[in-house]
Amino acid sequence: MMRTQAHGSAAGDLAGTRVAVIGLGASGIAAARLALAKGGDVYVSDLRTDAATAARGADLESAGARVELGGHDFEWLAGAGLVVVSPGIPPDAPVLGDLRARGVRWISEPELAVRFYGAPLIAVTGTNGKTTTTLLVGHLLASSGMDAAVGGNVGGGLAPAASDLALREDAPDWYVLEMSSFQLADVDTFRPDIGVVTGLSPDHLDRYPSLDAYYADKARLFENADEACVWVLPFGDAEVEALAGDAPGRRYTFSHDDVGAHAFVRDGVLTLRVAESDEPLLAAAHFPLMGRHNLRNGLTAALVARLAGAPVEGIREGLRTARPLPHRMEPVLDRDGVLWVNDSKATNVSAAASALASLDRPAVVLLGGKDKGEDFRPLGPLLAEHARVVLAFGAVGERIADELGDATSVERLASDFETVVRRAAACARRGDVVLLSPACSSFDMFDSYEHRGRVFTDLAREVA
């Protein structure tokens, strides 16, 4: 449907440039490696001094970078020609405050990466569904015989950082990046050829001072838009429309219902309407990913792939062969008539609501984790409809019980996670689903949502 210009420029060379990278996480390491490969004089710093961070730092030192742990050489940072900040560094970090006071600007790791891309870019953001949509786009393009380089904020070992993709010897047909609000906050020239917003809802209110501030970072996706851009947006979503504003470019929409969008479900079939006639793709009943929200993700990805030039036949095959991603409405066990589903990636209320709305059987629901400041009461009607019992756990368990106790049966479990899962097994009846869809981050009890999901899966197999 469309082809656009590559992103790389003749100035794709950092020889003689002092490049500072703040943060030794996955994206910081990728940025440092890219800067080294492009000839930069690279300095990397991180406040952490643990063994894992030290090992990563030693690898970069052997590659030619200067690495400092336990602090930052502020004068080196202030004198750098280019400063790259990892998304895990909060905006109120003292080092950023010092740089801000000196008038020093910085960029995010994907902003660095796309400066060296040699092909058009698809960028996917939104509150929920980003990873599934991003990887589905890559899968649909690959099923169509196209070379898609997929990465960005995907994480979990499912795809590399954006800068790793810039080290490819041969440019792909398309780059496909998932972009978080933290990464978009520090873009400068970033401009996708196809930009996607999956939807918006409250999140990260433990980091942002307000919902408006969170949405403002998402809106930077549109900052450098021109008439050649293509935007894929949810149909009739007023908040997303406000986010996009009057950004130039062509707009295409998706919706579960046939209400005038370019991608929709009609008579039980995922369908596109971007050519002269409607293009049926696949019966919704044959789409392998669970839940109405995943049908929406499938529609979004199919529309993006079609706009990127994929043929209907390839998209159809890709939808048919898609597989559930770990920790995202992932069926992990079906035993004695009870289905266990790991949706540990549901780290906010909106994601948990989508999971609940997709259920067609009674549920034992596990809610809890680290408090991100969201109101849990909007889950009440869905829990009243779908949940046999809610098991509230973790640091925010008491507040969940207080806010939802009038809507459904809630048990507050102050004990360890194994006890929570064993209690779920005891509550479940034949025909039920045990759903871990926590609506919270994991950092009270686990290292990450992936860690939480793995523990849940292992315990389910043990206790079921």
Side-chain angles (χ1 to χ4, degrees):
M1 290 283 180
M2 65 168 288
R3 298 295 298 175
T4 57
Q5 298 299 312
H7 284 245
S9 69
D13 186 357
L14 295 175
T17 302
R18 296 178 67 180
V19 181
V21 179
I22 303 176
L24 254 171
S27 65
I29 292 170
R33 287 175 176 163
L34 176 58
L36 287 168
K38 299 301 180 181
D41 177 14
V42 179
Y43 164 80
V44 186
S45 61
D46 197 307
L47 291 180
R48 294 173 296 178
T49 59
D50 58 275
T53 303
R56 294 193 294 269
D59 287 342
L60 283 179
E61 283 184 324
S62 66
R66 176 190 166 196
V67 176
E68 181 174 357
L69 302 182
H72 309 284
D73 184 336
F74 180 71
E75 292 305 317
W76 208 105
L77 293 174
L82 186 65
V83 180
V84 183
V85 176
S86 299
I89 309 298
D92 59 354
V95 64
L96 299 186
D98 291 342
L99 291 176
R100 194 178 291 114
R102 290 275 291 268
V104 177
R105 298 183 63 186
W106 57 85
I107 62 172
S108 64
E109 176 264 329
E111 168 68 30
L112 172 69
V114 299
R115 297 180 181 186
F116 299 97
Y117 281 4
L121 170 65
I122 297 166
V124 181
T125 195
T127 301
N128 298 312
K130 297 187 300 296
T131 297
T132 299
T133 300
T134 300
L135 293 178
L136 269 176
V137 169
H139 177 65
L140 299 184
L141 293 177
S143 297
S144 301
M146 303 169 74
D147 182 5
V150 181
N153 188 59
V154 173
L158 298 174
S163 292
D164 288 331
L165 301 181
L167 294 173
R168 284 182 47 141
E169 291 186 6
D170 299 320
D173 295 315
W174 286 90
Y175 293 95
V176 187
L177 293 184
E178 176 186 337
M179 294 291 293
S180 71
S181 60
F182 304 160
Q183 293 171 325
L184 285 168
D186 297 323
V187 297
D188 181 19
T189 62
F190 187 93
R191 184 197 69 86
D193 298 283
I194 302 178
V196 185
V197 181
T198 59
L200 295 172
S201 58
D203 200 6
H204 300 302
L205 297 181
D206 52 344
R207 171 158 169 160
Y208 286 98
S210 67
L211 186 61
D212 287 344
Y214 168 53
Y215 286 177
D217 278 353
K218 291 289 190 188
R220 300 201 68 186
L221 180 75
F222 301 92
E223 192 162 277
N224 298 302
D226 58 32
E227 294 295 341
C229 291
V230 170
W231 306 108
V232 175
L233 311 172
F235 180 88
D237 189 316
E239 289 183 320
V240 174
E241 290 174 359
L243 198 78
D246 59 358
R250 290 176 290 150
R251 301 190 182 191
Y252 295 82
T253 58
F254 57 88
S255 172
H256 185 277
D257 302 312
D258 184 1
V259 289
H262 297 91
F264 52 91
V265 177
R266 185 176 63 195
D267 298 329
V269 176
L270 280 72
T271 305
L272 295 180
R273 185 180 291 146
V274 293
E276 293 182 358
S277 59
D278 289 356
E279 298 170 329
L281 299 174
L282 184 76
H286 296 160
F287 186 53
L289 277 59
M290 289 182 61
R292 181 184 174 95
H293 63 296
N294 273 324
L295 283 177
R296 178 182 168 104
N297 294 333
L299 288 166
T300 308
L303 178 56
V304 172
R306 191 76 177 103
L307 294 170
V312 170
E313 295 77 10
I315 295 172
R316 185 178 292 128
E317 176 64 13
L319 291 173
R320 188 185 65 80
T321 58
R323 292 294 176 262
L325 299 179
H327 318 297
R328 296 163 177 84
M329 289 301 285
E330 176 192 13
V332 297
L333 187 70
D334 193 343
R335 185 171 296 167
D336 297 331
V338 176
L339 176 65
W340 294 71
V341 176
N342 168 20
D343 193 35
S344 182
K345 183 59 174 68
T347 58
N348 55 57
V349 168
S350 176
S354 293
L356 290 167
S358 73
L359 298 179
D360 59 1
R361 54 204 292 186
V364 177
V365 181
L366 281 61
L367 287 178
K370 182 177 182 293
D371 197 339
K372 296 172 73 176
E374 284 196 77
D375 184 356
F376 295 101
R377 284 171 291 191
L379 293 176
L382 285 166
L383 290 167
E385 179 180 357
H386 296 285
R388 183 183 307 286
V389 63
V390 173
L391 304 182
F393 67 93
V396 76
E398 194 66 41
R399 187 161 74 83
I400 290 174
D402 289 343
E403 293 185 4
L404 295 176
D406 293 337
T408 188
S409 174
V410 181
E411 292 186 19
R412 168 71 174 106
L413 298 177
S415 51
D416 61 275
F417 194 61
E418 179 176 350
T419 301
V420 176
V421 177
R422 290 188 179 278
R423 178 58 183 158
C427 292
R429 306 174 188 172
R430 179 174 292 275
D432 283 359
V433 57
V434 176
L435 173 67
L436 171 67
S437 193
C440 302
S441 68
S442 57
F443 300 118
D444 58 336
M445 302 171 74
F446 304 96
D447 297 333
S448 63
Y449 75 81
E450 295 101 333
H451 181 205
R452 177 172 61 193
R454 289 194 300 269
V455 171
F456 172 78
T457 297
D458 291 344
L459 288 171
R461 291 170 177 161
E462 176 184 336
V463 308

